[in-house]
Amino acid sequence: MAELYIVGTPIGNLGDITYRAVETLKNVDAIACEDTRHTLQLLNHLEIKKPLISCRAQNERTASEKIIDLLREGKSVAYASDAGTPGISDPGAVLCDCVREAGFTIVPIPGPSAFATLVSAAGSGGKTLIFEGFLSVKPGKRRSRLRELLATGDAVIVYESPFRIVKLLTDIADIDSKRRVVVGRELTKLHEEIVSGSAEELRDDFAGRSSIKGEFAVFISGTKNTIQNSDESADN
């Protein structure tokens, strides 16, 4: 049956891929991917050989047309981004829109994501959690958006590169130096690191490091729970 499968893949540790994801990749007729070279490494590890289609942010709409043509031929296609679950700060949303508009079924195959991985270990999430993905690389826009996010009182998750992590932590500390932050670096990988502290403490920590490597997910705690708990204590 012609269907598009959105396949979550490991964000680092290859052991995190699900049985269902492996079976899906084995059984489809073709695999679309954000970077064919990256996905080929995973497929070689799994001993899977399939035709690959490049579908990255720069060509997602034109690649979607090729994928839809395959679906019209009755072929099934899987889509995998470089790491994690497609559509979560990764390409995939445009592809899903195009395939749905063409009348074909989209089947999600759940998998890892840096977002869910850090949230599970961060604690203090509260009832509402804002996922912002990557903030603007422009300092003014980044700081302005951070002020808006922190002002909501909700917990926030953002992604950041090793080149801007100190700038991000500095911006958070400038807005609220005591706000609790949890930084996840190289999640699920050999050198995984999860550190927690005030924005000020983590800014000083990372600013003092001689080198910073890896990809980052950053959890910024909310204030609503603190306010609510204080109100409940006063009522009692």
Side-chain angles (χ1 to χ4, degrees), residues 52-71:
L52 300 181
I53 303 167
S54 172
C55 182
R56 58 192 191 279
Q58 294 81 0
N59 75 339
E60 192 171 356
R61 193 163 294 278
T62 55
S64 296
E65 295 174 1
K66 296 179 182 179
I67 293 167
I68 290 170
D69 286 342
L70 290 175
L71 294 173

Side-chain angles (χ1 to χ4, degrees), residues 23-208:
E23 289 304 307
T24 300
L25 294 172
K26 285 182 178 178
N27 294 327
V28 294
D29 296 296
I31 299 172
C33 37
E34 182 180 2
D35 187 326
T36 55
R37 297 165 299 179
H38 189 96
T39 300
L40 184 60
Q41 293 178 356
L42 174 64
L43 295 177
N44 287 340
H45 173 76
L46 299 173
E47 299 182 344
I48 296 173
K49 292 185 178 180
K50 295 288 178 178
L52 300 181
I53 303 167
S54 172
C55 182
R56 58 192 191 279
Q58 294 81 0
N59 75 339
E60 192 171 356
R61 193 163 294 278
T62 55
S64 296
E65 295 174 1
K66 296 179 182 179
I67 293 167
I68 290 170
D69 286 342
L70 290 175
L71 294 173
R72 286 177 176 147
E73 294 173 9
K75 296 180 179 179
S76 58
V77 180
Y79 177 70
S81 57
D82 286 351
T85 302
I88 303 179
S89 280
D90 275 334
V94 171
L95 173 61
C96 285
D97 280 343
C98 291
V99 168
R100 185 172 287 109
E101 288 175 5
F104 293 97
T105 300
I106 300 170
V107 181
I109 309 297
S113 75
F115 163 76
T117 300
L118 184 59
V119 171
S120 69
S124 310
K127 292 183 178 181
T128 303
L129 177 62
I130 300 172
F131 175 63
E132 185 72 7
F134 286 94
L135 292 164
S136 174
V137 298
K138 297 180 179 179
K141 287 187 176 180
R142 183 179 61 245
R143 286 192 292 267
S144 177
R145 182 56 180 154
L146 274 172
R147 289 191 187 95
E148 292 174 353
L149 292 168
L150 269 62
T152 66
D154 294 317
V156 178
I157 284 264
V158 298
Y159 290 164
E160 193 50 273
S161 76
F163 310 108
R164 291 187 296 273
I165 185 63
V166 173
K167 295 177 181 178
L168 172 65
L169 293 172
T170 298
D171 288 341
I172 298 171
D174 287 346
I175 298 168
D176 186 349
S177 63
K178 303 305 178 185
R179 184 73 67 101
R180 177 175 174 268
V181 176
V182 182
V183 173
R185 183 181 69 85
E186 291 288 85
L187 292 172
T188 79
K189 300 177 185 178
L190 180 62
H191 300 292
E192 176 182 86
E193 178 184 20
I194 300 177
V195 292
S196 174
S198 69
E200 187 176 46
E201 291 169 339
L202 294 189
R203 176 202 60 198
D204 293 345
D205 177 354
F206 283 92

